[in-house]
Amino acid sequence: MPSAPTSIGLVFGGVSGEHAVSIRSAATVAGALGCGSNAERYRLLCFYIDQQGHWWPPAVADAVLATGHPLEPEEVPARPVRPGFQGLPAPAAEVDVWFPVLHGPNGEDGTIQGLFTLMQVPFVGSGVLGSAVGMDKQAMKAAFAAAGLPQVPYRCVDAVELGEPQRFESLVERLEAQLGYPCFIKPANLGSSVGISKATNRSALVGGLRAAARHDRRLVVEKGIVARELECAVLGRQSMRASVLGEIRFDADWYDYTTKYTEGLSHTVIPAPVPAAVSERARTLAIEACRAVAAEGLARVDFFYEESPSDANGAGATAEAGAGTLWLNEINTLPGFTSQSMYPMLWAASGLPLEELVHHLVQDAGEWNIPNGAEAQAA
Ligand SMILES: Nc1ncnc2c1ncn2[C@@H]1O[C@H](COP(=O)(O)OP(=O)(O)O)[C@@H](O)[C@H]1O
Ligand SMILES: [Mg+2]
């Protein structure tokens, strides 16, 4: 007798700047879970989180997926008075495995992973720790540094330091002396290049720090380098594997918000045309980066690749004779998953088509051990 299909709770939308991308990612994942052999394996229950943080049941979620547009306030019969999570819609009790397809704060940062953990239901992707550390650029960089992984020189800044004129001035002098120009100023907890700026002089540095501080108290300033941008997809939990590399190419000074999200301003090259040694090194580093921040299940690891040996002198730089230098830029624990996104495209180029990829992701969620305090105490 065929076994009953596994009920997958696909959650998308969410309270972050990447709400619209999440809808597109979810449509791709839902399509793949309903396709071929997956159609018999899985029963899909979709849940939509609107931009106020309210959860909506499959009837609403399916309509959002069908139109591809966020739910407008007038389309909802009875909107809760308070924003934020107000409880799960009833069909959530039937979910066997949760599949969060949420990007950025409130989805990629450990918050929803905490909810699933409390519910004691397996879920796709990293747990609370890996998600939270991967999201926060200060914490991520500290974890990479502790693991001896190569990063460009950087400094962490607390927005409090911007408040007093004297302290601010000495901060700026310190950053100039330690990192120089150009440098990049980033809020620690966003994504999609929001709040990030490049500074080539003091007034831009001051403006960039103030702009980033409007998004987050925790800031990072990095030495700016001239480098190609490579990405690697990782899959698996106990045993992790890395995909072929992809390269992002664009006609802009750096990969800012407009370049990322305007059709035709950037394109991907898969596999990335780099020497085999560089590709192998990046794939090894990608898995080490996941281990360093406790990311698992799925992740996209992004690199800077300087073709000529670097003079940036960052910790652990991996200059190899004639092979240039690889630096880790960041890890994304719930990377974009649209049909045009790097993560699924890298796996397709590595021999794992979309349908099989989502099947693997769900299977890997089952490997997850539910922390059981009672058992641990009894042992
Ligand atoms: N140190 C750096 N040197 C050169 N370019 C950088 C540096 N840091 C960031 N960038 C540029 O800014 C983009 C966005 O930075 P990133 O740290 O990846 O932020 P996000 O998490 O928003 O994607 C990068 O893809 C790259 O083009
Ligand atoms: Mg990035």
Side-chain angles (χ1 to χ4, degrees):
M1 212 175 74
S3 54
T6 304
S7 293
I8 308 293
L10 183 75
V11 196
F12 68 97
V15 185
S16 92
E18 290 159 288
H19 186 96
V21 183
S22 162
I23 296 174
R24 287 176 51 210
S25 292
T28 307
V29 173
L33 284 169
C35 224
S37 319
N38 287 343
E40 280 127 55
R41 292 178 180 131
Y42 301 121
R43 170 177 167 244
L44 198 55
L45 293 167
C46 296
F47 297 87
Y48 172 65
I49 306 178
D50 69 21
Q51 292 172 86
Q52 284 70 44
H54 305 135
W55 285 55
W56 296 97
V60 175
D62 293 346
V64 173
L65 282 184
T67 62
H69 295 296
L71 196 64
E72 298 302 333
E74 62 276 9
E75 293 174 290
V76 180
R79 182 175 288 277
V81 181
R82 283 171 31 189
F85 178 69
Q86 313 282 310
L88 293 163
E94 296 163 36
V95 169
D96 299 313
V97 175
W98 286 101
F99 198 142
V101 185
L102 297 155
H103 311 305
N106 296 306
E108 195 170 346
D109 60 359
T111 48
I112 203 163
Q113 290 75 12
L115 179 65
F116 298 147
T117 305
L118 292 173
M119 288 159 66
Q120 302 191 5
V121 178
F123 54 92
V124 170
S126 294
V128 171
L129 180 66
S131 303
V133 176
M135 183 77 217
D136 182 281
K137 290 187 194 299
Q138 284 195 3
M140 173 191 76
K141 283 174 173 291
F144 287 165
L149 298 174
Q151 307 182 76
V152 296
Y154 70 96
R155 291 291 175 272
C156 295
V157 174
D158 186 323
V160 165
E161 295 176 73
L162 278 58
E164 303 155 29
Q166 253 185 350
R167 221 172 144 192
F168 192 18
E169 200 179 313
S170 82
L171 166 73
V172 168
E173 281 167 8
R174 222 168 45 241
L175 292 171
E176 284 181 329
Q178 293 172 341
L179 304 173
Y181 296 111
C183 61
F184 279 79
I185 307 112
K186 311 180 180 184
N189 279 285
L190 283 175
S192 296
S193 301
V194 174
I196 297 183
S197 59
K198 176 180 176 178
T200 51
N201 55 46
R202 182 173 285 199
S203 79
L205 173 58
V206 168
L209 285 166
R210 293 208 189 286
R214 283 198 281 277
H215 296 277
D216 200 347
R217 253 189 69 170
R218 293 160 68 78
L219 314 175
V220 168
V221 183
E222 278 177 39
K223 181 182 177 79
I225 57 170
V226 177
R228 289 166 64 186
E229 301 198 28
L230 307 177
E231 303 190 348
C232 182
V234 177
L235 178 67
R237 264 170 214 276
Q238 272 138 36
S239 119
M240 287 183 177
R241 40 185 179 136
S243 71
V244 298
L245 295 194
E247 177 166 7
I248 305 276
R249 295 215 178 140
F250 46 84
D251 273 330
D253 187 30
W254 57 283
Y255 200 32
D256 59 9
Y257 184 89
T258 312
T259 312
K260 271 183 188 172
Y261 293 111
T262 310
E263 183 101 28
L265 291 191
S266 66
H267 68 278
T268 51
V269 184
I270 302 173
V274 294
V278 172
S279 168
E280 272 319 296
R281 176 81 182 125
R283 295 174 73 206
T284 304
L285 282 173
I287 292 176
E288 288 175 9
C290 289
R291 301 266 186 235
V293 303
E296 53 183 351
L298 82 159
R300 197 193 73 223
V301 181
D302 299 350
F303 296 90
F304 294 130
Y305 172 53
E306 278 182 301
E307 282 174 296
S308 51
S310 177
D311 61 354
N313 270 333
T318 56
E320 275 142 36
T325 308
L326 268 177
W327 310 94
L328 264 176
N329 174 26
E330 61 165 336
I331 186 164
N332 290 279
T333 54
L334 280 176
F337 220 118
T338 73
S339 54
Q340 299 306 305
S341 294
M342 192 63 116
Y343 188 84
M345 290 199 300
L346 286 175
W347 281 119
S350 307
L352 199 62
L354 188 59
E355 261 173 66
E356 284 176 43
L357 171 62
V358 294
H359 175 53
H360 270 276
L361 290 170
V362 173
Q363 294 293 106
D364 288 346
E367 258 185 44
W368 182 69
N369 290 318
I370 298 160
N372 188 325
E375 264 175 31
Q377 269 171 16

